[in-house]
């Protein structure tokens, strides 16, 4: 396919949401790594254990730096569009992925919202087919709810009372 962007993008808050989530994850990881360094010192583990911890620290630092860059790149490279026949997704930083999901194959459409996404009025949409699932990571709340309804109508899904 051509390298043309599809008509819809993620929520502009996506990079902030992703950076906050990754920062929390990195913080917890570094705390665990700090505890492991303390245990290494307290119990006098072998020298090879120290070097493994140093390697994990270096990898963690590179990961933390990448987690600050990646969300902006993902935001620029994520787009989607839909009509009554197909849902098309385009994403990827280093390898570009084009996914076309026929509406007739969609079995369920759901939205999710964690506390950070709630703060920024965003939701993720998950579209499931028989063999796979596809997620649009962050849309503005009203857009996500509208998209969920339209996809359900196009896919002719029946809503189940809970």
């Amino acid at each position: 396919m051509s390298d043309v962007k599809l008509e819809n993008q993620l929520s502009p808050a996506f990079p902030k949401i992703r950076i906050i989530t990754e920062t929390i994850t990195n913080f917890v990881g570094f705390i665990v790594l700090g505890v492991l360094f303390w245990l290494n010192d307290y119990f006098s583990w072998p020298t090879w254990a120290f070097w493994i911890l140093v390697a994990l620290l270096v990898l963690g630092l590179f990961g933390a730096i990448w987690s600050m860059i990646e969300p902006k790149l993902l935001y620029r490279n994520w787009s989607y569009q839909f009509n009554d026949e197909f849902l098309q997704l385009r994403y990827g930083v280093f390898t570009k992925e084009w996914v076309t999901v026929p509406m007739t194959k969609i079995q369920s459409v759901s939205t999710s919202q964690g506390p950070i996404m709630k703060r920024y009025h965003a939701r993720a949409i998950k579209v499931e087919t028989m063999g796979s699932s596809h997620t649009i990571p962050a849309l503005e709340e009203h857009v996500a709810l509208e998209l969920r309804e339209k996809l359900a109508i196009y896919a002719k899904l029946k809503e189940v009372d809970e």
Side-chain angles (χ1 to χ4, degrees), residues 65-82:
I65 292 167
W66 175 246
S67 70
M68 297 297 138
I69 298 168
E70 181 196 32
K72 294 173 184 94
L73 294 174
L74 281 176
Y75 175 71
R76 278 191 237 143
N77 291 297
W78 231 110
S79 58
Y80 71 96
Q81 74 182 31
F82 65 97

Side-chain angles (χ1 to χ4, degrees), residues 133-151:
S133 68
H134 308 282
T135 302
I136 301 175
L139 296 176
E140 293 173 5
E141 196 164 10
H142 68 280
V143 173
L145 294 174
E146 184 179 315
L147 178 60
R148 183 188 67 187
E149 295 304 317
K150 285 183 180 178
L151 289 176

Side-chain angles (χ1 to χ4, degrees), residues 31-51:
I31 287 175
V32 169
L33 202 52
V35 168
L36 289 173
F37 270 108
W38 179 79
L39 289 171
N40 177 55
D41 186 50
Y42 187 77
F43 290 113
S44 300
W45 289 347
T47 306
W48 59 266
F50 171 76
W51 289 110

Side-chain angles (χ1 to χ4, degrees), residues 55-126:
L56 288 174
L57 178 63
V58 169
L59 288 174
L61 289 173
F62 281 124
I65 292 167
W66 175 246
S67 70
M68 297 297 138
I69 298 168
E70 181 196 32
K72 294 173 184 94
L73 294 174
L74 281 176
Y75 175 71
R76 278 191 237 143
N77 291 297
W78 231 110
S79 58
Y80 71 96
Q81 74 182 31
F82 65 97
N83 57 31
D84 59 345
E85 292 183 44
F86 299 105
L87 168 65
Q88 294 180 319
L89 309 172
R90 179 188 171 274
Y91 55 89
V93 176
F94 296 116
T95 55
K96 305 288 185 204
E97 299 270 342
W98 280 85
V99 178
T100 302
V101 181
M103 290 294 176
T104 57
K105 300 296 181 189
I106 294 175
Q107 291 187 324
S108 71
V109 181
S110 61
T111 61
S112 62
Q113 182 182 52
I116 298 168
M117 291 181 86
K118 186 173 186 136
R119 164 74 175 86
Y120 288 97
H121 306 289
R123 288 181 184 238
I125 290 192
K126 187 173 186 179

